[in-house]
């Protein structure tokens, strides 16, 4: 070994070996560092070892290395190790193990990783059909201090609320998010806000029809509802609304609807 190699920190040597394709050589150095409880770079070495071993195809050994890093409690590398574990479990569809690993990220408490963990836990809650937990985690992601993650969380929460038939709550979430969102996230948030307003409009039109306004107002509400629903991908619902108006027992109302239905023909 040359004098320059002796002076090179082992982590740098391992990184160079890994980048050149010598995964076995890198793993040997990293394993030695990770096995030494007194090694100051143990946590970083263990995370590096987990990555190298996974690239080599040794998944279980990679997870063992990640758990070594996690056990150090290092604010950066323990959090990275927990993320490594969680993402691997998610890829394999092992949701419960993934959930535990993301909870471990929260336990480490490193601010840079907390928002991502909440977003991931929300994703797992949706996949397990637990919208209440997903909503809670998305709120937590929004409040965790990362504006980009917060904007994505707001978008997902708005989608969830719209699916649950709560467009007003979705609009409130988006309005709050727009006040703090980075500029590049604003257009998407505004589009979603428009969608929420469309849903609110549909609800108002439907309420007007249901509560029996005068024929002219009811016909207008029917037309607006029927023409708005296709914008939300609900063409079949729009046809049912038109049919309701066209076949209404109130002939004055039905005549008004016919005029509106045929005016673009």
């Amino acid at each position: 070994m040359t004098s320059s190699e002796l002076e090179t920190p082992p982590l740098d040597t391992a990184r160079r070996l890994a980048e050149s394709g010598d995964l076995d050589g890198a793993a040997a150095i990293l394993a030695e560092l990770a096995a030494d409880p007194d090694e100051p770079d143990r946590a970083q070495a263990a995370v590096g070892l987990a990555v190298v071993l996974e690239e080599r195809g040794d998944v279980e050994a990679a997870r063992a290395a990640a758990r070594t890093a996690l056990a150090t409690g290092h604010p950066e590398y323990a959090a990275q190790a927990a993320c490594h574990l969680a993402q691997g479990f998610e890829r394999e569809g092992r949701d419960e193990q993934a959930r535990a690993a993301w909870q471990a990220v929260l336990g480490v408490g490193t601010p840079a990783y907390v928002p991502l963990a909440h977003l991931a836990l929300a994703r797992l809650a949706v996949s397990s059909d637990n919208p209440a937990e997903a909503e809670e985690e998305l709120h937590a992601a929004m409040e965790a201090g990362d504006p980009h993650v917060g904007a994505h969380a707001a978008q997902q929460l708005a989608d969830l609320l719209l699916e649950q038939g709560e467009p007003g709550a979705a609009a409130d979430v988006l309005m709050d998010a727009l006040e703090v969102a980075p500029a590049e996230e604003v257009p998407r948030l505004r589009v979603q806000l428009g969608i929420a307003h469309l849903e609110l409009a549909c609800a108002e039109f439907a309420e007007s029809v249901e509560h029996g306004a005068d024929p002219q107002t009811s016909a207008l509400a029917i037309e607006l509802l029927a023409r708005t629903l296709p914008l939300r991908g609900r063409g079949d619902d729009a046809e049912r609304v038109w049919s309701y108006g066209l076949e209404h027992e109130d002939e004055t109302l039905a005549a008004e609807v016919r005029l509106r239905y045929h005016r673009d023909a």
Side-chain angles (χ1 to χ4, degrees):
M1 185 175 291
T2 67
S3 59
S4 62
E5 288 175 323
L6 286 170
E7 293 170 2
T8 303
L11 280 174
D12 290 344
T13 301
R15 185 181 303 110
R16 189 179 69 249
L17 290 171
E19 289 171 353
S20 67
D22 185 359
L23 298 181
D24 290 341
I29 294 172
L30 294 169
E32 183 176 351
L33 295 173
D36 183 357
D38 298 322
E39 168 58 51
D41 293 323
R42 186 187 191 202
Q44 185 177 0
V47 170
L49 180 59
V51 173
V52 168
L53 289 173
E54 184 166 13
E55 288 183 12
R56 207 170 64 176
D58 195 346
V59 175
E60 290 308 316
R63 284 176 176 151
R67 291 187 179 97
T68 296
L70 178 58
T72 68
H74 190 284
E76 176 68 20
Y77 299 113
Q80 285 187 17
C83 288
H84 179 91
L85 288 166
Q87 290 163 351
F89 286 133
E90 276 202 70
R91 284 194 297 270
E92 294 179 8
R94 298 166 66 180
D95 288 359
E96 287 307 312
Q97 291 92 331
R99 185 175 288 105
W102 286 121
Q103 290 288 356
V105 175
L106 296 180
V108 176
T110 306
Y113 297 94
V114 166
L116 296 172
H118 283 302
L119 210 56
L121 287 166
R123 180 171 61 246
L124 290 169
V126 169
S127 69
S128 63
D129 196 23
N130 191 339
E133 181 181 331
E135 188 173 337
E136 181 180 341
E137 293 294 347
L138 289 169
H139 276 295
M142 291 171 62
E143 296 165 3
D146 184 312
H148 291 279
V149 173
H152 288 294
Q155 293 167 21
Q156 293 180 29
L157 179 55
D159 283 340
L160 184 62
L161 291 168
L162 287 171
E163 289 173 7
Q164 295 173 345
E166 300 181 44
D172 289 343
V173 166
L174 294 165
M175 289 293 290
D176 289 343
L178 279 166
E179 294 181 3
V180 296
E184 60 269 30
E185 303 289 351
V186 167
R188 174 59 182 164
L189 289 169
R190 290 200 178 282
V191 168
Q192 282 190 290
L193 182 59
I195 290 171
H197 285 160
L198 279 177
E199 290 291 339
L200 281 168
C202 287
E204 294 299 331
F205 298 149
E207 282 287 313
S208 177
V209 173
E210 183 178 344
H211 287 88
D214 61 84
Q216 290 75 23
T217 301
S218 289
L220 174 60
I222 287 169
E223 179 187 17
L224 291 171
L225 180 57
R227 295 192 187 281
T228 302
L229 285 169
L231 298 176
R232 296 293 293 126
R234 297 166 62 186
D236 291 344
D237 288 340
E239 288 302 318
R240 281 190 284 272
V241 170
W242 279 124
S243 295
Y244 170 82
L246 293 168
E247 300 167 7
H248 202 278
E249 61 185 14
D250 184 332
E251 181 51 38
T252 303
L253 172 57
E256 287 283 342
V257 172
R258 279 194 295 273
L259 288 173
R260 294 176 179 279
Y261 182 74
H262 292 294
R263 67 178 177 176
D264 291 336

